[in-house]
Amino acid sequence: MTDLLDIRRIYLEPAAAELPRGREVLARFPDATIVEVESHQRIPELYGDETNVRRWVRIKQEALVLGVRKTLTARPNGRSADFIAPSSANGCAMACAYCYVPRHKGYSNPITVFANIEKIAGYLKRHAGRQGAKPEPNECDPHAWVYDIGENSDCSVDARISDNVRDLVTLFRDLPNAKASFATKHVNRDLLGWDPRGRTRIRFSLMPPADAKLLDIRTSAIPDRIAAIDDFVAAGYEVHVNFSPVVVRDGWLADWAELLDRLDAGIGAEAKKQLAAEIIFLTHNRGLHEVNLGWHPRAEEVLWQPALQQPKRSQNGDLNVRYRTGAKGGYVRALTDLIAERTPYLHVRYAF
């Protein structure tokens, strides 16, 4: 764990230390320096300071924030999940160059663990209970209400810091009408012993290894993610794949063909029988582009392609860029046709 996490400073909301989960996390890192803060959302030396770009990875490796989540809401989603659950953590120890989180929180954004997991779990249990039976199938799931429990973090990494994710997997194991879901780029085999009984969906994010080497900084290697799929299926997880983000560049489609062949050769019949995919083409952001130039400019050679991209103003006013209308439709068709040819059993839940 020391390569990914070497926690030396814990920024602590005092209220978190009064809760059992907070005390457990503090006990896991007894040598860490404790820095008390008024709010986990306002830590100037971590967030919003552009000079932190030079310390991007070190902050992610060495800093941990321990707080209390104040707002509990389950937002409707309808694409990857029916609802986005209130997160039990946010931020990440990994450093993917395309991650949208730095656009909103600012710069490095290490992991924040929320200590009030009992309230989060209780809220989710009540919310799922109010939904009743799912009236009809949708692209999220044919039977269960799906709750994404890792929108702003990677739950496989979070599980190395606290038992929050395990508590949520245990919660959904016993909910008859709902299941948990999260995407991950980190193989954490500790999760194999949790007995999810098919009520947690893990979505392993995959991309061609050449892209991952450049863009997926501090993540598990693509062959390791593929190799984990059969084991997680055998352990009782539903396992899907995320092809995300799809980056258009010279030779991109040939590299995706090779990845699909690797996937096909690397998993068994049980995994193939239940496998589905989400496909998300790259959306980038001018602000993140400027940040990346300060710590990983090589990534911007493929992420920032003005000749291929067009601007789009987001709902919160950010200037995003995505592949040009018309051309993008062709890229999507090319990839989905390739999937139909190389891995015909792989159901594409959605592609955009």
Side-chain angles (χ1 to χ4, degrees), residues 20 27 31 47-49 56 89 98 104 106 137 165 205 212 231 240 292 295 300 312 329 351:
D31 297 328
Y47 309 139
D49 181 357
W56 188 275
Y98 47 80
H104 302 293
V165 180
S205 294
D231 293 336
H240 288 185
N292 283 349
W295 79 281
E300 291 306 299
K312 178 189 177 184

Side-chain angles (χ1 to χ4, degrees), residues 122-254:
Y123 171 85
L124 286 169
K125 183 176 182 179
R126 293 188 299 274
H127 189 278
R130 290 193 297 271
Q131 306 313 308
K134 196 169 194 176
E136 59 186 10
N138 64 7
E139 67 181 19
C140 301
D141 193 83
H143 307 295
W145 298 105
V146 180
Y147 289 76
D148 193 320
I149 62 171
E151 182 191 34
N152 292 316
S153 67
D154 189 305
C155 289
S156 298
V157 179
D158 298 341
R160 296 195 179 278
I161 295 175
S162 84
D163 289 335
N164 282 1
V165 180
R166 183 168 190 166
D167 287 350
L168 294 176
V169 170
T170 301
L171 169 72
F172 280 92
R173 183 174 65 197
D174 298 322
L175 296 182
N177 67 331
K179 64 174 61 172
S181 177
F182 64 88
T184 184
K185 301 179 184 71
H186 178 69
V187 177
N188 181 352
R189 291 182 174 272
D190 292 344
L191 278 62
L192 294 173
W194 290 2
D195 189 25
R197 302 177 194 171
R199 308 308 294 178
T200 292
R201 174 188 296 164
I202 292 183
R203 292 138 40 219
F204 281 104
S205 294
L206 301 178
M207 64 174 62
D211 287 336
K213 185 176 181 180
L214 178 65
L215 304 175
D216 272 7
I217 309 303
R218 293 167 56 78
T219 65
S220 296
I222 296 296
D224 294 340
R225 300 182 212 176
I226 293 174
I229 291 175
D230 278 356
D231 293 336
F232 276 81
V233 171
Y237 291 92
E238 182 182 35
V239 179
H240 288 185
V241 289
N242 272 14
F243 296 152
S244 171
V246 179
V247 177
V248 176
R249 53 167 176 76
D250 289 343
W252 72 279
L253 201 58

